[in-house]
Amino acid sequence: MHVPPIPSLTAADPELATLIESEATRQHDKLRMIASENYVSAAVLEASGTVLTNKYSEGYPGRRYYEGQQFIDPIETLAVTRARELFGVDHANVQPYSGSPANLAVYLAFLSPGDTVLGMALPMGGHLTHGWSVSATGKWFNPVRYGVSAETGRIDLDEVRDLARREHPKLIFCGGTAVPRTIDFAGFAEIAREVGAVLVADIAHIAGLVAGGAHPSPVGHADVITTTTHKTLRGPRGAMIMTTAEHASAVDKAVFPGLQGGPHNHTTAGIAVALREAGTEDFRRYAHQVVANAKALAAALVERGFTLSSGGTDNHLILADLTSKGIAGKPAAQALDRAGIELNYNTVPYDPRKPFDPSGIRLGTAALATRGLTEEQMPQVAAWMDEAVTAAVKDDEATLDRVAGEVRDLLVCYPMPGYTAD
Ligand SMILES: *Cc1c(COP(=O)(O)O)cnc(C)c1O
C-alpha cells in the first residue's frame, strides 16, 4: 500500500489510484538500478504532496509579485539556506523546474544565441543540454564536444584544453549522465580560466555523493553548479543552480523572469526536507555505501565477464558494453526488467550501434543503497544479472521469471519508503 495512504484519491479516481498503487508495488518488488533514480523519504513525499501546490509566488523571497507569501517566503529561504550550508556556496536558486530548465537558465544568463559552448558529447556520457544537436542548446548555440579516450574510457583533459584553446567557448560544461569516473573539477577550472570561459559543473548525478563527501566538490572550482535534486541527492524532482556571489543576480534573473513563471512551492518544500536529510551523518554513510556498492558490483560483474566502460567505477554508476555477452543493450535491458532488475540501455563510448539500439546498459546503486543493500548483496545481484543476460540470449523466459521471484524474495527484507505491505 502507498505511504502516505491515498484514500481520497482511491474514492475519487479509482482508476488512477490503482495505477499508483501498482507503481508503488513495482518499485518495492524490483532492484531499481536506473542510475538517475532513487527512493525519496516519507518526509519528502509528504512535503511534496501538500497545499503548497495551491500557491503562486513569482519572484524571490521578499520580492514577490503576488500577496500571501507569509509562509512561502520562509519555506523557500529554508531551502536556499540549507543548500548554501550543505554545499558551502554563496548563492543557491532552488526554483528551476528540473535539471534541463536549470541548464537552459545558465545559457540564458551567460550566452547569446550562436555563442560557443563546450560540453561532453551525449554518446560519450554528456547530457542533451550540454549542447547536443537535438536539444535547444545545440540548435540555438554553437556546440563543441569532447569525449573520452578510446583506450581508457576516461575524459582526456588535454583534448578538452586543445578544443577550448581552438574554439574559445564562453561556457564549458563538465559532468554528465554516464560518467563512471571522478570529475576533475580543478582540471576543468584551469582550462576555463585560461580561455576565459564560465565553468559549469552539472552534478545532477553525483550531487548526493558530493553532499555526503563521497565525491570531490566542484565548489571553489566551478563558477556555476547545476544539479537535479532527485537523483543521488534523494529529493523530489527539481533542480538547483548554485553560484559564487558574482553570478547570483545573473542566474536569478535568468530563472525568473527569464525562463520560468511561478516556482513549484510543494517541490521547494520537498527540496528543503531532502537538503536537511542530506546534511546528516546517516546520509554521509548512505553516500559512501552507494559508492561501495557500485565498486563491489562492478568487481563482481567483471569477474563474470562483463566489459565495463573505463574498467570500473568511482561513483554510483556503471556502464557495461554487452558485446562480449552476445547481446545488445535493449533486449538485455528488457530481459533484465522481466527478471526484476530495472536499468536502461545506453550507448557506450565509440558505440558502433545506433542510439535507439546501442551496445550497452547503464546502472547505478543509489536506490539499492537506500533500500539498505550493501556490498554483501552485490555478488548476488551480479549473478542474477549474468543469469538474466544469458537467459535473454537463449530466450529462456522461465529463468527470467525465476530470477524475478528470487529478487522479490530478497527485497521483502528491505523496506521501501513510500510503501508498506498491507
Ligand atoms: C538528469 C540530468 C539532467 C536533466 O535533468 P531533468 O530533470 O531530467 O531535466 C541534466 N544534466 C545531467 C548531467 C543529468 O544527469
Side-chain angles (χ1 to χ4, degrees):
M1 197 182 78
H2 193 275
V3 181
I6 51 169
S8 315
L9 184 59
T10 304
D13 192 339
E15 188 183 6
L16 190 69
T18 302
L19 289 169
I20 292 173
E21 291 290 359
S22 301
E23 172 62 12
T25 307
R26 192 194 68 81
Q27 291 188 12
H28 178 267
D29 287 351
K30 281 199 170 158
L31 285 167
R32 295 180 56 238
M33 301 182 72
I34 291 180
S36 46
E37 293 184 353
N38 211 326
Y39 297 92
V40 299
S41 70
V44 169
L45 270 184
E46 284 178 14
S48 311
T50 57
V51 294
L52 299 178
T53 198
N54 297 339
K55 186 72 196 115
Y56 242 106
S57 43
E58 287 186 355
Y60 291 101
R63 293 174 286 139
R64 305 282 192 187
Y65 291 81
Y66 294 82
E67 297 313 312
Q69 312 297 341
Q70 290 85 351
F71 306 105
I72 298 298
D73 273 6
I75 287 169
E76 184 169 336
T77 302
L78 259 185
V80 168
T81 307
R82 288 174 182 174
R84 289 174 50 200
E85 282 170 3
L86 181 66
F87 288 95
V89 291
D90 295 340
H91 180 73
N93 185 310
V94 298
Q95 294 193 3
Y97 298 143
S98 212
S100 302
N103 283 345
L104 199 53
V106 174
Y107 284 81
L108 187 60
F110 297 103
L111 266 55
S112 296
D115 282 348
T116 300
V117 55
L118 176 59
M120 194 178 203
L122 181 70
M124 293 283 183
H127 189 261
L128 283 163
T129 55
H130 298 181
W132 196 241
S133 45
V134 295
S135 154
T137 62
K139 288 180 194 287
W140 296 343
F141 301 93
N142 173 41
V144 185
R145 292 143 191 152
Y146 59 89
V148 296
S149 140
E151 292 89 65
T152 64
R154 294 173 189 244
I155 294 167
D156 177 0
L157 280 182
D158 291 332
E159 182 203 353
V160 178
R161 188 178 300 103
D162 289 347
L163 275 167
R165 282 177 178 163
R166 198 169 67 227
E167 305 284 347
H168 297 286
K170 273 200 182 166
L171 212 60
I172 300 178
F173 270 95
C174 60
T177 63
V179 181
R181 295 298 181 176
T182 301
I183 309 277
D184 181 357
F185 296 119
F188 271 99
E190 201 183 293
I191 295 168
R193 215 174 305 122
E194 186 193 320
V195 302
V198 171
L199 178 64
V200 187
D202 181 349
I203 60 168
H205 262 267
I206 54 172
L209 306 184
V210 171
H215 187 289
S217 169
V219 177
H221 302 297
D223 305 286
V224 179
I225 300 165
T226 62
T227 184
T228 54
T229 46
H230 48 270
K231 297 177 184 174
T232 53
L233 192 56
R234 220 162 61 178
R237 300 196 85 91
M240 309 193 293
I241 307 177
M242 297 178 277
T243 66
T244 54
E246 183 192 352
H247 299 302
S249 151
V251 162
D252 281 356
K253 282 186 191 137
V255 173
F256 176 85
L259 203 60
Q260 298 190 169
H264 294 177
N265 297 310
H266 55 302
T267 299
T268 305
I271 291 173
V273 176
L275 290 169
R276 183 190 167 111
E277 292 173 354
T280 61
E281 196 47 46
D282 249 10
F283 193 89
R284 263 190 104 72
R285 266 194 301 278
Y286 163 71
H288 285 89
Q289 189 64 56
V290 169
V291 176
N293 285 7
K295 285 180 185 289
L297 181 58
L301 287 170
V302 166
E303 216 168 280
R304 290 180 170 278
F306 283 82
T307 310
L308 305 190
S309 183
S310 84
T313 182
D314 298 326
N315 53 34
H316 64 300
L317 186 149
I318 295 169
L319 193 59
D321 182 344
L322 296 182
T323 309
S324 61
K325 291 284 183 186
I327 188 166
K330 195 178 201 168
Q334 285 165 346
L336 283 156
D337 188 54
R338 178 160 178 166
I341 299 166
E342 184 191 7
L343 42 70
N344 64 280
Y345 63 86
N346 214 99
T347 51
V348 294
Y350 304 99
D351 204 324
R353 301 175 63 92
K354 297 242 161 25
F356 201 61
D357 183 23
S359 302
I361 51 174
R362 185 191 71 158
L363 50 138
T365 51
L368 297 196
T370 299
R371 288 294 287 269
L373 272 67
T374 67
E375 298 100 307
E376 225 179 294
Q377 284 83 38
M378 293 307 119
Q380 176 64 71
V381 173
W384 279 328
M385 285 181 61
D386 198 14
E387 252 192 293
V389 166
T390 308
V393 174
K394 295 189 281 195
D395 275 328
D396 172 4
E397 293 184 347
T399 294
L400 299 179
D401 293 342
R402 175 177 55 75
V403 171
E406 291 173 10
V407 165
R408 260 196 314 276
D409 289 345
L410 172 79
L411 288 175
V412 165
C413 310
Y414 296 90
M416 149 193 166
Y419 174 89
T420 181
D422 39 11

